[in-house]
Amino acid sequence: MGSQHDLPISPFYAFAGAFTALFVSFLALGLLWSTSRFQGSRSGRPLPAAVQRVADAPATRTALRVLGLAAALFVLLHLLLGPDDPARNPAPGAVYVLLWVGLVPASLLLGPVWSLLNPLRTLHRLSHRLSHRASHRNPTVRRGPAAHDTPPRRAIPTADRTAASRHGPGQTPHPLPPWLGLWPAAIGLFGFTWLELVSPDPASRTTLLTALVVFVTVQLGLAARFGESWFAEGDPFEAYSTLLARFSPLGRRDDGRLVLRNPFHGLDATPERPGLVATVCVLLGSTAYDGFSDNPSWINTIQTSPLGRTPAATLGLLGSVALVATLYCLCAAATRLVSGPLPRPLTAFAHSLLPIALGYLMAHYFSLFVTEASRTVIIAGGADPAPAPAPPLDPGGLAALQVIAVVTGHVLGVVAAHDRSVRLFPPARAVAGQLPLLALMITYTVGGLSLLLN
């Protein structure tokens, strides 16, 4: 969509400020923060009961599902009937800007909104309701002299009837394997970022339609097997929205009450699931690849590669994600050596990477979202051609925003990691156990700022 280079900010001051912020926060936390303060999903100030009733009302949820389905149909119609030109067709902007980038502010402000808007959930529910009604309208009736031999129907418990109505007549969803976790979401997110950053023509109607058909078929097929719970685990956009919403001031306590909370409490409540590290590393690695993919030296490398452009770019994206994951795994191993064994060494501190990923997303996509979201809306409204969007900030303001977002994300990650460390380790080893994490975050900071200032 376009980028801005040679931002007017001194690399020396950017790196010096970042290192100072990290070291000062680390030392201050070590001296002043000796016990865990975050309470996870047990904390929060309840919102008024009227607000909760409106948020949980069937009418509200139905309206959101209808809105999500209508938006999906709008995109589909433009992919089928619109021009094959992203400057005159709003569908590519709706997918790559309004959905992918727009979920960041929406989830931060409102919580995991995609679980309510997700059109695939709506289609799954509608299909099973229709099949359920069809089975009741055409029951199998036994006639003849042997009808009196039919054994009486066994009473179905209420819980089983509820499950049957949700998943379809005569169908019992298979339970999701415990080891699966967020691995399907990580794979799906990697596939989407490959489509956006690597595929030869990501904005063409053919590419988007093919990807949409494959995605919908796979998601609905797996939901038919595992039930509606599949979407929370396997839909990459739901997982993406839910992880970002961990840092939202809106949340729910364990008792289901809607509350206002310190975002750190929501972050602390991130479940330590299989695939969590992979999902966060895909977010970090793909954003990093997006940062250097338009570097002239990299463009020349993939264009002259004997493998061809697409295979070389695919290896670059894989390498970027693998590098982020390898550094984190080495950090987890070093933490275990310094502080002792942990029940789940890889996932114990994975939540502290979420603020870093959020900082990268905000730094990298802020300008894109502000300019291209408005252009997409204008195109959808019928303007042809849409006027060129004005930049939201001057180069100096954009540079300051990007550096502040990256550094703030790392400082918040240090805070989240420190609180978890003083909870898991004895006081004598709590601070020492964070040294590998501090080294990791410094490494990520150097990489992130280098990409911004290159």
Side-chain angles (χ1 to χ4, degrees):
M1 296 285 188
S3 60
Q4 206 162 0
H5 293 282
D6 300 323
L7 295 177
I9 190 168
S10 166
F12 172 80
Y13 288 115
F15 287 116
F19 292 155
T20 302
L22 288 174
F23 277 114
V24 169
S25 60
F26 175 77
L27 294 175
L29 290 168
L31 293 172
L32 304 175
W33 195 311
S34 58
T35 58
S36 177
R37 303 184 183 186
F38 302 147
Q39 302 174 11
S41 56
R42 302 186 306 275
S43 67
R45 177 177 299 178
L47 291 174
V51 175
Q52 173 114 19
R53 284 195 298 270
V54 172
D56 292 340
T60 302
R61 294 175 176 267
T62 300
L64 291 173
R65 293 190 187 101
V66 170
L67 177 63
L69 189 59
L73 290 175
F74 176 85
V75 172
L76 178 61
L77 287 175
H78 278 83
L79 286 177
L80 290 172
L81 306 176
D84 197 6
D85 179 5
R88 296 186 297 125
N89 192 328
V95 173
Y96 295 124
V97 179
L98 296 182
L99 174 60
W100 177 240
V101 184
L103 272 180
V104 177
S107 302
L108 285 178
L109 294 175
L110 303 174
V113 292
W114 191 246
S115 62
L116 295 176
L117 293 170
N118 190 350
L120 297 183
R121 274 188 183 263
T122 305
L123 291 175
H124 175 76
R125 290 188 177 189
L126 288 175
S127 65
H128 282 299
R129 286 184 182 178
L130 291 174
S131 61
H132 186 67
R133 290 178 181 176
S135 66
H136 282 286
R137 289 176 181 174
N138 300 288
T140 302
V141 181
R142 295 185 63 183
R143 292 185 176 90
H148 63 276
D149 295 331
T150 303
R153 291 185 178 180
R154 180 175 61 87
I156 301 177
T158 303
D160 293 342
R161 287 199 301 269
T162 303
S165 63
R166 181 180 299 172
H167 300 290
Q171 296 182 8
T172 302
H174 295 73
L176 287 167
W179 56 265
L180 195 62
L182 292 174
W183 279 107
I187 295 170
L189 285 172
F190 182 84
F192 179 81
T193 55
W194 181 92
L195 179 72
E196 179 192 15
L197 304 175
V198 175
S199 62
D201 195 3
S204 73
R205 291 171 50 203
T206 302
T207 301
L208 281 172
L209 276 173
T210 303
L212 183 63
V213 169
V214 172
F215 178 73
V216 170
T217 302
V218 170
Q219 289 291 315
L220 291 181
L222 290 170
R225 176 175 177 80
F226 294 111
E228 193 174 332
S229 61
W230 162 260
F231 294 109
E233 309 291 337
D235 187 306
F237 299 106
E238 278 207 20
Y240 175 58
S241 175
T242 301
L243 286 177
L244 294 174
R246 291 290 172 186
F247 221 64
S248 171
L250 281 177
R252 289 188 185 270
R253 292 190 313 213
D254 289 334
D255 59 3
R257 190 66 190 269
L258 197 62
V259 296
L260 281 176
R261 66 189 180 189
N262 179 341
F264 278 110
H265 292 298
L267 183 64
D268 186 67
T270 304
E272 297 181 33
R273 305 290 309 283
L276 173 62
V277 173
T279 303
V280 180
C281 288
V282 168
L283 291 177
L284 285 169
S286 62
T287 306
Y289 178 81
D290 197 5
F292 70 78
S293 62
D294 60 350
N295 187 288
S297 61
W298 176 249
I299 294 174
N300 181 65
T301 298
I302 61 175
Q303 287 180 344
T304 58
S305 171
L307 297 175
R309 179 200 172 278
T310 301
T314 301
L315 289 177
L317 179 60
L318 275 170
S320 180
V321 175
L323 177 61
V324 171
T326 300
L327 291 174
Y328 177 77
C329 291
L330 291 174
C331 169
T335 300
R336 189 174 184 181
L337 288 175
V338 172
S339 299
L342 285 171
R344 292 179 291 271
L346 282 180
T347 57
F349 292 95
H351 71 297
S352 66
L353 298 183
L354 288 174
I356 300 174
L358 179 59
Y360 283 164
L361 290 169
M362 293 181 67
H364 194 71
Y365 292 118
F366 169 78
S367 180
L368 168 71
F369 181 72
V370 172
T371 56
E372 296 300 331
S374 60
R375 185 206 291 267
T376 300
V377 172
I378 292 172
I379 296 174
D384 188 17
L393 296 171
D394 60 28
L398 182 61
L401 174 68
Q402 290 179 324
V403 172
I404 290 171
V406 170
V407 175
T408 301
H410 284 84
V411 172
L412 297 180
V414 169
V415 174
H418 177 82
D419 188 86
R420 181 64 57 88
S421 182
V422 297
R423 181 188 306 170
L424 295 176
F425 302 126
R429 291 183 292 173
V431 175
Q434 296 174 67
L435 291 175
L437 282 166
L438 179 64
L440 174 72
M441 292 182 182
I442 290 175
T443 304
Y444 283 167
T445 303
V446 170
L449 293 179
S450 298
L451 290 174
L452 287 177
L453 301 173
N454 184 14

